[in-house]
Amino acid sequence: MAGLKELFLEFDDIDDDQNDDSVEVYADSVKQAIQLASHELNADVSMLDYEIIRKGTKGFLGFGRQPYRVVVRKASINSDHQDLDELEARLSAHVPGVVLEEKKHQDGTFKIRVTRSGIWLTVTTPKGKGRPVEPSIVNTRLYAMRISNADTALIEKTVKNASGEPAKIGDWTPNPDFDSRLKIEISEDEMKAYLHFTPPRYYGRNLDLEEVMSALKLSGVVFGINEEKLKEYLENMDYSYPLLGAEGQRPKNGRDAKIDYKVRINKANIKFEEDESGKVDFRNLELLENVVVGQVLAVKIPPEKGTPGRTVTNKVIPVKPGRDISIQFGKGTILSQDKTELTAEINGQVVFKRNRISVEPVYIISGDVGLETGNVNFLGSVIVSGNVLDNFVVKAAGNIEVKGTVQKAFIEAEGDIIVHQGISGRDEAIVESTGGSVYAKFIQNAKVISENNVIVPEGVLHANVDAGESIISIGRRARIVGGLIRAGSDVNARFLGADVATKTSIFVGVNPKVLQQISELEKSKAEIVAELEDVKKNITTLANQKKVSKLSAEKEALLQDLENRSEKGNLRIEEIKTELEELETYIAMLDQKGKVCAEKKIFPGVDINIRNQKFVVKDEYNYIKFSLEGDDIRLSEYEPPKLGEGQRISTLVSRRR
């Protein structure tokens, strides 16, 4: 508690002049005190105002009980019960959750405020059909306040204008006994300072903001003062409730350091996305988190020091700084010098174990690639311990090794592809190595593409196989039967074709990509030629009609469109012819290479194409090689494949594990 000797009087210094309309009551509660005072003052409870001088306490078991000490006085009575309306508005304004509906019709209001600078009158205009303020009402209030030096002319002028702005109507007559008084209550933790105001009596003046600020300073309150709130409180002159004039700042402990992972480390939160029909694609679960060299994996957010607190008396409340942590990293990662950023050292899969993040170059699938794993897309090498089931996809930037079989699936790798138990594609499987070779126990009813070699110990059955270098099938039961076989260098098998003359087409000496491009160009050319035939017929029909009679605007536009299509189609055919000629020239410039070899036997039904020459096998041949000499295909003794010193075809798959 704090007070000023001259400006702020203690509550118990009650002037004797108020004894005729006030009484000091000791009671167990404020309500009881007001009821007792109502009998003593012979006034209704609603016509009384009160001040709590001392709060009561209940004590313990009757000991230490202390009654409330309350001063109760008659409230000033004004015409039209204006004070009662103001009291109701004040009380309602401070009840949480109560919202008063604004009245359409409201009487004008006025307020008299006495300060050191003078007596100030503020008058507002009525709303709707409300009654305006009359000078007589203001004079009555001034009389009740024992103010006799107000300027009547200024009062009438202010009432007439009703501008809502304060106007000075007289000078202040000093009388400290009647002035407003203040007590400051500081909470035990010194985090809040409450201001208890006693309203002025009669012509006593209201406290100014400067005086309140000075009182706060003298009482030690120097932090967290809300001057705007104080100013508004003093302007309203509503002293029915204590004002929270200052509030300290609670300390804000520092936030702990944390690791912001830039990659997905929690695979338990996989979201199953539905398509428009409500079906979930279980193949695209994206369980793997792939990264590339230099990609940011995690960033450390440093701890915060926190913000110290302050009491209203400006005492510093210490703060607890945030706890520091470090990025736990494993192999395949690089931690920056300041230890705040972790990046990938290699391409691969993110592995998060025991709060440690690593990048593994190999992703091992313990079972099948199926619904449990979804499609696999990995920036390293992939090892599948089981099978790759129908309709699933496995892609890898490194090698792919499948310990089981590849079914009707799509496999793509930048490195080698190794399938221990073979490929059984049912005419829909696609296995492609864009930068390595394909090794499989067997290939059946599938499409296989390899940048380098395709090596199959047992056999290739009714498959389309393309290899940039060699296609080799040398084993006890090795054979190539049916399908389309194309190799840039050579095809070498134990058996070629079958004794039932199964059609088998073999192309060597030209990279299959070039042959594929030629095939696509020729197909495109055929489609355009067929389309131009139809266009030509339609143009002829419309031209004949035009000779007989004038065409309609619609047919004329159609004729013009057909002629434009014919012109563009012819231009495209010429472009395709040019591209085909360039490819033929390229093939002619290639080195004289390309051979087809059968260790045991080649059967009728096999077509051999070496560069631009073709040989149709009509008889069986044993231990034979087909190669190109000049413009002719020459038959000679079988030539074994060159696999490397001491290497056998049957050991290739195991060697590449």
Side-chain angles (χ1 to χ4, degrees):
M1 299 285 184
L4 297 179
K5 184 176 181 181
E6 296 180 357
L7 289 176
F8 312 107
L9 302 178
E10 292 294 330
F11 282 150
D12 55 355
D13 295 333
I14 301 174
D15 192 90
D16 293 334
D17 293 339
Q18 73 176 12
N19 290 337
D20 57 345
D21 61 357
S22 66
V23 63
E24 182 176 313
V25 182
Y26 292 84
D28 292 333
S29 66
V30 176
K31 181 178 180 181
Q32 184 185 41
I34 295 175
Q35 290 174 344
L36 293 172
S38 126
H39 294 290
E40 184 69 23
L41 298 174
N42 194 24
D44 189 81
V45 173
S46 62
M47 304 299 293
L48 298 178
D49 198 358
Y50 69 91
E51 298 170 11
I52 300 175
I53 304 302
R54 185 183 63 208
K55 294 182 179 180
T57 58
K58 294 181 180 180
F60 180 72
L61 299 177
F63 297 99
R65 187 181 67 83
Q66 187 174 352
Y68 279 83
R69 180 185 174 195
V70 184
V71 173
V72 185
R73 66 171 62 86
K74 292 181 180 179
S76 300
I77 301 175
N78 191 27
S79 60
D80 299 326
H81 305 287
Q82 181 174 345
D83 282 349
L84 293 177
D85 292 339
E86 291 179 354
L87 177 61
E88 180 182 359
R90 290 202 307 267
L91 292 175
S92 299
H94 296 292
V95 176
V98 176
V99 179
L100 297 178
E101 184 179 356
E102 186 176 358
K103 297 179 181 179
K104 294 182 180 179
H105 308 289
Q106 291 184 355
D107 294 342
T109 62
F110 72 93
K111 179 172 63 176
I112 299 172
R113 180 177 176 83
V114 180
T115 66
R116 287 180 296 182
S117 60
I119 304 169
W120 298 85
L121 173 64
T122 304
V123 183
T124 62
T125 57
K127 291 183 179 180
K129 297 180 181 180
R131 291 174 295 178
V133 175
E134 298 290 342
S136 59
I137 299 176
V138 177
N139 289 326
T140 301
R141 173 67 64 83
L142 290 170
Y143 178 77
M145 295 175 66
R146 301 182 184 180
I147 297 176
S148 58
N149 60 336
D151 190 323
T152 305
L154 289 176
I155 294 172
E156 292 181 354
K157 181 180 178 181
T158 303
V159 170
K160 182 179 180 181
N161 292 337
S163 63
E165 297 295 329
K168 186 177 180 180
I169 59 174
D171 295 326
W172 167 57
T173 300
N175 190 332
D177 293 339
F178 295 159
D179 290 345
S180 176
R181 289 164 292 176
L182 168 67
K183 272 191 175 183
I184 299 174
E185 177 187 359
I186 301 175
S187 62
E188 291 185 5
D189 59 2
E190 299 186 8
M191 293 301 293
K192 294 182 180 180
Y194 291 95
L195 280 62
H196 300 268
F197 289 87
T198 300
R201 294 185 296 112
Y202 306 128
Y203 54 85
R205 67 179 178 84
N206 294 273
L207 294 177
D208 293 330
L209 178 63
E210 292 78 9
E211 294 174 313
V212 175
M213 293 295 292
S214 178
L216 287 169
K217 185 177 180 180
L218 287 175
S219 63
V221 179
V222 293
F223 180 84
I225 300 173
N226 191 333
E227 292 191 27
E228 290 298 324
K229 195 174 181 180
L230 279 172
K231 184 178 180 182
E232 180 183 357
Y233 185 92
L234 295 174
E235 284 292 331
N236 292 334
M237 297 188 303
D238 181 7
Y239 305 118
S240 62
Y241 65 96
L243 173 67
L244 178 60
E247 189 168 6
Q249 176 179 291
R250 298 287 178 184
K252 182 181 179 182
N253 291 333
R255 186 185 62 193
D256 294 341
K258 67 178 183 178
I259 308 301
D260 180 15
Y261 292 100
K262 301 299 183 180
V263 292
R264 180 160 46 87
I265 60 174
N266 186 0
K267 298 178 182 178
N269 298 326
I270 299 298
K271 294 183 179 179
F272 297 94
E273 297 183 0
E274 297 182 356
D275 58 18
E276 295 179 355
S277 63
K279 295 181 179 179
V280 176
D281 187 357
F282 289 95
R283 291 185 292 274
N284 292 307
L285 298 182
E286 296 184 356
L287 295 175
L288 299 182
E289 185 73 18
N290 296 313
V291 293
V292 297
V293 174
Q295 182 174 338
V296 177
L297 306 176
V299 175
K300 172 185 170 181
I301 300 176
E304 293 180 350
K305 295 181 179 179
T307 304
R310 288 188 180 273
T311 67
V312 294
T313 57
N314 206 30
K315 292 179 181 177
V316 177
I317 304 176
V319 66
K320 182 181 179 181
R323 183 175 59 90
D324 195 12
I325 58 175
S326 58
I327 300 178
Q328 301 297 318
F329 63 97
K331 60 182 179 180
T333 62
I334 300 176
L335 187 63
S336 61
Q337 290 186 352
D338 60 3
K339 299 183 179 181
T340 61
E341 186 175 270
L342 188 68
T343 56
E345 186 178 19
I346 59 174
N347 294 344
Q349 172 204 7
V350 173
V351 177
F352 189 75
K353 293 181 179 178
R354 297 185 182 91
N355 293 324
R356 187 181 302 274
I357 191 168
S358 306
V359 177
E360 299 288 350
V362 177
Y363 173 51
I364 299 175
I365 300 172
S366 59
D368 297 337
V369 174
L371 291 177
E372 292 185 0
T373 63
N375 293 336
V376 177
N377 187 0
F378 184 53
L379 291 176
S381 296
V382 175
I383 297 177
V384 181
S385 300
N387 308 312
V388 181
L389 303 182
D390 288 351
N391 303 317
F392 284 90
V393 176
V394 179
K395 294 182 179 181
N399 302 328
I400 295 177
E401 182 175 1
V402 180
K403 300 294 183 66
T405 62
V406 172
Q407 300 178 11
K408 189 178 65 176
F410 179 81
I411 309 293
E412 182 183 81
E414 293 182 18
D416 295 338
I417 297 176
I418 306 161
V419 184
H420 288 256
Q421 299 302 322
I423 302 169
S424 181
R426 303 204 298 281
D427 294 327
E428 293 188 39
I430 299 177
V431 177
E432 180 175 3
S433 171
T434 59
S437 299
V438 175
Y439 304 83
K441 184 177 182 180
F442 67 86
I443 300 173
Q444 182 175 354
N445 299 102
K447 183 177 181 180
V448 176
I449 304 169
S450 172
E451 181 68 19
N452 297 327
N453 303 313
V454 174
I455 299 178
V456 186
E458 291 194 358
V460 179
L461 306 177
H462 307 287
N464 292 347
V465 181
D466 288 349
E469 294 296 332
S470 302
I471 298 175
I472 301 173
S473 181
I474 301 297
R476 183 175 300 177
R477 294 177 295 175
R479 65 176 60 240
I480 296 177
V481 180
L484 178 63
I485 309 299
R486 299 186 297 190
S489 178
D490 62 287
V491 172
N492 201 313
R494 191 174 182 84
F495 294 92
L496 287 174
D499 53 9
V500 292
T502 303
K503 183 175 177 56
T504 306
S505 298
I506 300 176
F507 292 79
V508 294
V510 180
N511 192 302
K513 292 181 179 178
V514 177
L515 296 177
Q516 183 66 30
Q517 189 175 358
I518 292 174
S519 176
E520 291 174 356
L521 287 171
E522 289 177 344
K523 181 181 177 182
S524 179
K525 178 183 174 182
E527 291 175 351
I528 295 173
V529 168
E531 182 183 358
L532 287 178
E533 287 293 331
D534 293 337
V535 170
K536 184 178 180 180
K537 291 178 182 179
N538 291 330
I539 290 175
T540 302
T541 301
L542 290 172
N544 291 335
Q545 291 180 6
K546 189 174 183 180
K547 291 178 181 179
V548 176
S549 61
K550 185 179 179 180
L551 296 176
S552 64
E554 182 179 355
K555 289 186 176 181
E556 189 68 43
L558 177 59
L559 178 59
Q560 184 64 40
D561 180 61
L562 291 171
E563 290 175 347
N564 290 337
R565 288 169 59 186
S566 177
E567 182 179 356
K568 290 180 180 179
N570 288 322
L571 287 174
R572 178 57 187 152
I573 287 177
E574 292 301 319
E575 291 175 357
I576 291 174
K577 287 180 178 179
T578 301
E579 292 178 23
L580 288 171
E581 289 175 359
E582 291 176 352
L583 290 173
E584 292 294 340
T585 303
Y586 166 75
I587 292 174
M589 293 173 60
L590 293 174
D591 294 335
Q592 295 284 340
K593 68 175 184 177
K595 55 188 176 182
V596 176
C597 302
E599 181 186 11
K600 289 294 183 181
K601 188 177 292 188
I602 184 169
F603 295 93
V606 177
D607 295 340
I608 296 175
N609 299 267
I610 303 177
R611 294 177 61 181
N612 54 358
Q613 300 299 319
K614 183 175 181 179
F615 183 91
V616 178
V617 179
K618 297 180 180 179
D619 301 308
E620 291 185 6
Y621 295 92
N622 299 323
Y623 205 72
I624 191 74
K625 178 181 81 169
F626 299 84
S627 60
L628 189 66
E629 289 188 4
D631 293 333
D632 297 323
I633 295 178
R634 178 176 178 272
L635 283 64
S636 59
E637 185 177 305
Y638 171 75
E639 181 181 322
K642 296 179 181 180
L643 301 176
E645 185 177 355
Q647 182 178 317
R648 297 177 57 191
I649 188 71
S650 60
T651 64
L652 277 176
V653 171
S654 60
R655 183 186 67 82
R656 301 291 298 191
R657 292 183 184 178

